[in-house]
Coordinates of all heavy atoms in Angstrom, one line a residue:
Chain H
D63 N -2.3 -89.5 -12.1 CA -1.4 -89.7 -13.2 C -1.5 -91.0 -14.0 O -1.4 -91.0 -15.2 CB 0.1 -89.5 -12.8 CG 0.5 -90.5 -11.6 OD1 -0.4 -91.3 -11.2 OD2 1.6 -90.4 -11.2
H64 N -1.8 -92.1 -13.3 CA -1.9 -93.4 -14.0 C -3.0 -93.5 -15.0 O -2.8 -94.1 -16.1 CB -2.0 -94.5 -13.0 CG -0.7 -94.8 -12.2 ND1 0.0 -93.8 -11.5 CD2 0.1 -95.8 -12.2 CE1 1.1 -94.3 -11.0 NE2 1.2 -95.6 -11.4
I108 N 3.4 -86.8 -13.8 CA 3.7 -88.1 -13.2 C 4.3 -87.7 -11.8 O 5.1 -86.9 -11.6 CB 4.7 -88.9 -14.0 CG1 4.2 -89.1 -15.4 CG2 5.0 -90.2 -13.3 CD1 5.2 -89.7 -16.3
V109 N 3.8 -88.4 -10.8 CA 4.1 -88.1 -9.4 C 5.6 -88.0 -9.2 O 6.0 -87.1 -8.4 CB 3.4 -89.2 -8.5 CG1 3.9 -90.6 -8.7 CG2 3.4 -88.8 -7.0
H110 N 6.4 -88.8 -9.8 CA 7.8 -88.8 -9.6 C 8.5 -87.7 -10.4 O 9.7 -87.5 -10.2 CB 8.5 -90.2 -9.9 CG 7.8 -91.2 -9.1 ND1 7.5 -91.2 -7.8 CD2 7.2 -92.4 -9.6 CE1 6.9 -92.3 -7.4 NE2 6.6 -93.0 -8.5
D129 N 3.9 -96.5 -4.7 CA 4.4 -96.7 -6.1 C 5.9 -97.1 -6.0 O 6.7 -96.4 -5.4 CB 4.2 -95.4 -6.8 CG 4.4 -95.6 -8.3 OD1 5.5 -95.8 -8.8 OD2 3.4 -95.6 -9.0
H131 N 8.3 -96.8 -8.0 CA 9.4 -95.9 -8.6 C 9.6 -94.7 -7.7 O 10.3 -93.8 -8.2 CB 9.0 -95.6 -10.0 CG 9.2 -96.8 -10.9 ND1 8.1 -97.5 -11.3 CD2 10.3 -97.4 -11.3 CE1 8.6 -98.6 -12.0 NE2 9.9 -98.5 -12.0
N222 N 15.5 -94.1 -10.3 CA 14.2 -94.6 -10.7 C 14.3 -96.1 -11.0 O 13.4 -96.8 -10.6 CB 13.8 -93.9 -12.0 CG 12.5 -94.4 -12.6 OD1 12.5 -95.3 -13.4 ND2 11.3 -93.8 -12.3
S347 N 7.2 -91.6 -19.4 CA 7.3 -92.3 -18.1 C 8.2 -91.5 -17.1 O 8.9 -90.6 -17.5 CB 7.8 -93.7 -18.3 OG 9.2 -93.7 -18.2
C348 N 8.1 -91.9 -15.9 CA 8.8 -91.3 -14.8 C 10.3 -91.6 -14.9 O 11.1 -90.9 -14.3 CB 8.3 -91.7 -13.4 SG 8.4 -93.5 -13.2
T349 N 10.7 -92.5 -15.8 CA 12.1 -92.7 -16.1 C 12.7 -91.7 -17.0 O 13.8 -91.2 -16.8 CB 12.3 -94.1 -16.7 OG1 11.6 -95.1 -16.0 CG2 13.8 -94.5 -16.7
G408 N 1.2 -87.7 -18.2 CA 0.7 -88.8 -17.5 C 1.5 -90.1 -17.7 O 2.5 -90.0 -18.4
C409 N 1.1 -91.2 -17.0 CA 1.9 -92.4 -17.1 C 1.7 -93.0 -18.5 O 2.6 -93.7 -19.0 CB 1.4 -93.4 -16.1 SG 1.8 -92.8 -14.4
C412 N 3.2 -96.3 -20.4 CA 4.2 -97.0 -19.5 C 3.5 -98.3 -18.9 O 4.1 -99.3 -18.8 CB 4.7 -96.1 -18.4 SG 5.7 -97.0 -17.2
L413 N 2.2 -98.1 -18.6 CA 1.5 -99.2 -18.0 C 0.1 -99.3 -18.6 O -0.7 -100.3 -18.2 CB 1.4 -99.2 -16.5 CG 0.2 -98.7 -15.8 CD1 0.2 -99.1 -14.3 CD2 0.2 -97.2 -16.0
N431 N 10.3 -98.2 -17.9 CA 11.2 -99.0 -17.1 C 10.9 -100.5 -17.0 O 11.6 -101.2 -16.3 CB 11.2 -98.4 -15.7 CG 9.8 -98.0 -15.3 OD1 8.9 -98.8 -15.3 ND2 9.6 -96.8 -14.8
R432 N 9.7 -100.9 -17.5 CA 9.4 -102.3 -17.4 C 8.9 -102.9 -18.7 O 8.1 -102.3 -19.4 CB 8.2 -102.5 -16.3 CG 8.7 -102.3 -14.9 CD 7.7 -102.5 -13.9 NE 8.4 -102.4 -12.6 CZ 7.9 -101.8 -11.5 NH1 6.7 -101.4 -11.5 NH2 8.6 -101.7 -10.4
R437 N 2.6 -105.5 -20.0 CA 2.7 -104.2 -19.3 C 2.2 -103.1 -20.1 O 1.4 -102.2 -19.6 CB 4.2 -104.0 -18.9 CG 4.5 -102.6 -18.4 CD 4.3 -102.5 -16.9 NE 4.6 -101.2 -16.4 CZ 4.5 -100.8 -15.2 NH1 4.0 -101.6 -14.3 NH2 4.8 -99.6 -14.8
Ligands
SF4_1 S1 5.3 -93.6 -15.4 FE1 5.1 -95.8 -15.3 S2 6.5 -96.5 -13.8 FE2 6.3 -94.3 -13.5 S3 4.7 -94.0 -12.0 FE3 3.7 -94.0 -13.9 S4 3.1 -96.2 -14.3 FE4 4.6 -96.2 -12.7

Side-chain angles (χ1 to χ4, degrees):
Chain H
D63 55 1
H64 285 60
I108 305 170
V109 66
H110 308 308
D129 195 286
H131 291 102
N222 174 274
S347 90
C348 57
T349 313
C409 295
C412 172
L413 96 166
N431 43 51
R432 287 185 177 141
R437 170 87 178 176

